[in-house]
Every structure is written in structure tokens, then in C-alpha cells.
């Protein structure tokens, strides 16, 4: 019994030391998710009382800000007012995204369906919220917000990416958009699309690693476009399963071509039945 108590004490000491070294707060992750959900509801849910919710959002903001910036006690890294002033523009931007989905997807029966049932819209909305935190320079919180959307939708958008207006993600599962990607206005992408880096090396951290997609481009399912120097010209169409590591001129159509063979199998049982 005495030996067990000593072992437990040693274990607790080791765990405590480990926590001091990594400085992780699960509370920050959980409260960031709660903030994200409540903010989405404030903007789009008629049943959410905006006045009450904003009071709760401010308290959550202050809590996650102080958890994310523990070294600046008494000198807040950002104020609640720094965030609230961008909310009207944020809402206007998201309305354009929702309309882009509704206007381009024949399966969308109403704008309400887009707001409530489209994972692409939810992921874009959380990205745009997180992007504002990213621009404010708040550490960790924007990544936690977009990772929350990733968990729920399968769509992974880094808050550092720059995305223009009227953005449309259809279906969305498996979409990956890297930190330094630039997406201009009126771009449409489908499930499984990757806008990624050509090389993954730590020393490239402060270099543009992800592609630029100019306005009115359509990128179909499972296309991979890689590299910071790769530019997809405006009004281009990138076909499904395409692998691109070089730039494409304006008004291009890029197709992945591969011979598909259809072979009819013959089974003895089928031949006997035919006879």
C-alpha cells in the first residue's frame, strides 16, 4: 500500500511537470468552441436574443483572450470593441456567400436551407469569424475556431488564408485551404479540393506556400493545386482529379485525362442460365 502511494505521488509530480512544459489549456479550446457557436447563432438564428447573447459573447471573449494571452495580464492584447466593430461587415460578407451558394446550387430550395444545412456555408462562416481574430493578432483562438468547423464539416480552412467575396464550397468534405492561399471573388470549389503547399518544410514558415485563385474560377472535385507561385487565371475551369503545380492562364480549361476501360465479366453460371 505504501509503495502504491509513493508511485502515485511520483506520477502526479511527473504530470504536473509535463503540464508546466507544454502550457495547454483545454478550457481555451472548449470556450472558443462555445464562443464560435454562439456568435453564429447571434448572426443567423432568429430565436437568439442578440442583446443577451452579446453580453455573454463579451464575457467569453475576455475569458478566451486572457487564456490565449496569459503573459499580458493587466494589459489586454485586444479589446472586445476591436472585434465588435467588424460584425456588420462580417454579416454582409456572409450574406454574399450564402447567396452565392443558393444561386449556384440547384439543390438549394431556400436561403434558410443554406444557412442551416450547408456544411460549406458553416465552414466559410466560421473561417470569416476566425479570420477577424487572426487579423487582430490573437494567438491560438482563430485556429481553434476553424478546427472546430473542420471537426463538424470535414472542411479545413486556415484562418490565415485570404478569401474574397461570394465564395461557394459545394458538398465540401475533404476540402483543404492552406494558410497563405489567396482566393479572389466568385470562386466555386467542390469536395476534396486541396489548395496546398508544394513543399512542407519548417523554414518556409514565412513564405507564400499556397496557390492564388483568381476571380470566377471553378475547381471541381478532388483537384489538387499546389505551390505559392501557382496562379490560376480568372474565369478558368479546373477539372476533377487534376494535379497542378504550375500557373494557368486566364480563361483556361484544365482536364485530367485518363483512359477508362469497361470490361464485362463472364461467369459460368451466367452462361449456363443463358443456355
Amino acid at each position: 500500500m505504501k509503495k502504491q502511494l509513493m508511485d502515485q505521488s511520483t506520477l502526479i509530480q511527473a504530470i504536473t511537470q509535463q503540464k508546466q512544459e507544454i502550457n495547454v489549456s483545454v478550457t481555451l479550446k472548449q470556450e472558443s468552441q462555445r464562443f464560435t457557436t454562439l456568435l453564429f447563432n447571434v448572426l443567423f438564428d432568429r430565436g437568439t436574443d442578440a442583446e443577451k447573447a452579446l453580453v455573454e459573447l463579451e464575457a467569453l471573449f475576455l475569458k478566451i483572450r486572457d487564456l490565449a494571452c496569459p503573459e499580458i495580464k493587466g494589459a489586454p492584447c485586444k479589446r472586445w470593441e476591436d472585434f465588435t466593430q467588424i460584425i456588420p461587415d462580417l454579416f454582409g460578407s456572409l450574406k454574399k456567400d450564402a447567396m452565392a451558394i443558393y444561386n449556384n446550387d440547384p439543390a438549394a430550395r431556400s436561403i434558410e436551407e443554406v444557412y442551416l444545412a450547408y456544411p460549406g456555408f458553416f465552414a466559410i462562416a466560421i473561417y470569416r469569424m476566425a479570420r477577424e481574430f487572426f487579423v487582430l493578432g490573437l494567438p491560438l483562438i482563430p485556429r481553434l475556431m476553424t478546427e472546430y468547423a473542420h471537426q463538424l464539416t470535414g472542411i479545413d480552412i486556415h484562418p490565415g488564408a485570404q478569401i474574397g467575396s461570394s465564395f461557394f464550397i459545394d458538398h465540401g468534405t475533404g476540402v483543404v485551404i492552406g494558410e497563405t492561399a489567396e482566393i479572389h471573388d466568385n470562386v466555386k470549389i467542390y469536395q476534396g479540393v486541396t489548395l496546398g503547399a508544394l513543399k512542407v518544410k519548417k523554414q518556409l514558415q514565412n513564405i507564400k506556400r499556397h496557390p492564388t485563385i483568381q476571380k470566377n474560377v471553378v475547381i471541381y472535385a478532388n483537384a489538387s493545386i499546389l505551390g505559392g507561385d501557382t496562379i490560376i487565371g480568372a474565369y478558368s475551369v479546373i477539372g476533377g482529379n487534376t494535379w497542378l503545380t504550375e500557373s494557368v492562364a486566364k480563361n483556361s480549361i484544365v482536364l485530367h485525362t485518363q483512359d477508362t476501360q469497361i470490361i464485362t465479366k463472364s461467369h459460368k453460371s451466367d452462361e449456363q442460365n443463358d443456355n
Side-chain angles (χ1 to χ4, degrees):
M1 185 70 177
K2 189 174 180 181
K3 187 177 187 300
Q4 289 179 338
L5 290 174
M6 290 179 62
D7 289 345
Q8 184 177 9
S9 175
T10 302
L11 177 59
I12 291 172
Q13 185 178 0
I15 292 172
T16 302
Q17 182 179 351
Q18 171 71 5
K19 286 181 178 181
Q20 291 174 346
E21 291 174 359
I22 59 176
N23 194 29
V24 168
S25 170
V26 174
T27 301
L28 174 59
K29 180 175 182 177
Q30 293 169 339
E31 296 295 72
S32 295
Q33 292 177 354
R34 194 155 70 94
F35 179 91
T36 302
T37 300
L38 184 57
L39 180 58
F40 185 90
N41 291 345
V42 166
L43 295 180
F44 299 109
D45 176 36
R46 184 177 293 181
T48 298
D49 186 303
E51 185 176 359
K52 291 180 180 178
L54 284 171
V55 173
E56 186 177 353
L57 279 171
E58 181 177 4
L60 279 170
F61 174 88
L62 296 176
K63 184 175 184 179
I64 61 178
R65 178 203 66 186
D66 292 346
L67 285 169
C69 308
E71 71 284 357
I72 317 180
K73 292 181 180 178
C77 49
K78 293 298 171 185
R79 301 173 304 151
W80 170 240
E81 292 76 15
D82 294 327
F83 180 73
T84 55
Q85 65 182 352
I86 58 86
I87 289 180
D89 290 338
L90 174 64
F91 183 61
S93 181
L94 290 173
K95 286 178 68 176
K96 290 181 181 179
D97 295 322
M99 287 305 301
I101 294 171
Y102 177 69
N103 290 332
N104 286 284
D105 188 356
R109 303 301 183 191
S110 67
I111 195 69
E112 290 79 15
E113 183 180 352
V114 172
Y115 285 129
L116 290 172
Y118 273 64
F121 176 74
F122 184 79
I124 294 167
I126 303 310
Y127 153 77
R128 293 205 188 278
M129 297 172 191
R131 172 71 184 169
E132 298 303 331
F133 279 84
F134 186 86
V135 172
L136 287 174
L138 281 164
L140 257 181
I141 296 171
R143 284 303 306 274
L144 292 172
M145 293 173 72
T146 54
E147 182 54 31
Y148 180 50
H150 183 200
Q151 291 173 23
L152 296 176
T153 66
I155 299 168
D156 186 0
I157 308 175
H158 194 287
Q162 299 179 52
I163 300 178
S165 66
S166 301
F167 185 41
F168 174 27
I169 298 177
D170 198 10
H171 302 295
T173 305
V175 165
V176 177
I177 300 174
E179 178 185 15
T180 62
E182 295 179 28
I183 301 175
H184 296 185
D185 297 344
N186 303 308
V187 169
K188 294 185 285 187
I189 67 176
Y190 290 76
Q191 68 272 15
V193 167
T194 297
L195 304 180
L198 188 58
K199 297 179 181 179
V200 181
K201 294 182 178 179
K202 192 65 176 180
Q203 56 265 40
L204 301 177
Q205 184 172 6
N206 298 316
I207 295 175
K208 189 179 187 309
R209 309 180 301 281
H210 307 94
T212 296
I213 312 299
Q214 295 184 342
K215 66 180 181 179
N216 295 92
V217 168
V218 180
I219 307 173
Y220 284 104
N222 298 313
S224 293
I225 303 172
L226 309 178
D229 295 328
T230 303
I231 300 173
I232 306 302
Y235 300 94
S236 292
V237 176
I238 309 300
N241 298 307
T242 303
W243 176 277
L244 276 176
T245 59
E246 59 186 45
S247 296
V248 170
K250 179 180 178 181
N251 289 315
S252 296
I253 297 177
V254 181
L255 300 175
H256 172 73
T257 59
Q258 181 176 347
D259 293 337
T260 300
Q261 298 183 27
I262 300 176
I263 301 172
T264 302
K265 295 193 294 182
S266 177
H267 297 280
K268 290 183 179 180
S269 57
D270 294 335
E271 292 173 358
Q272 291 173 354
N273 291 334
D274 291 339
N275 293 331

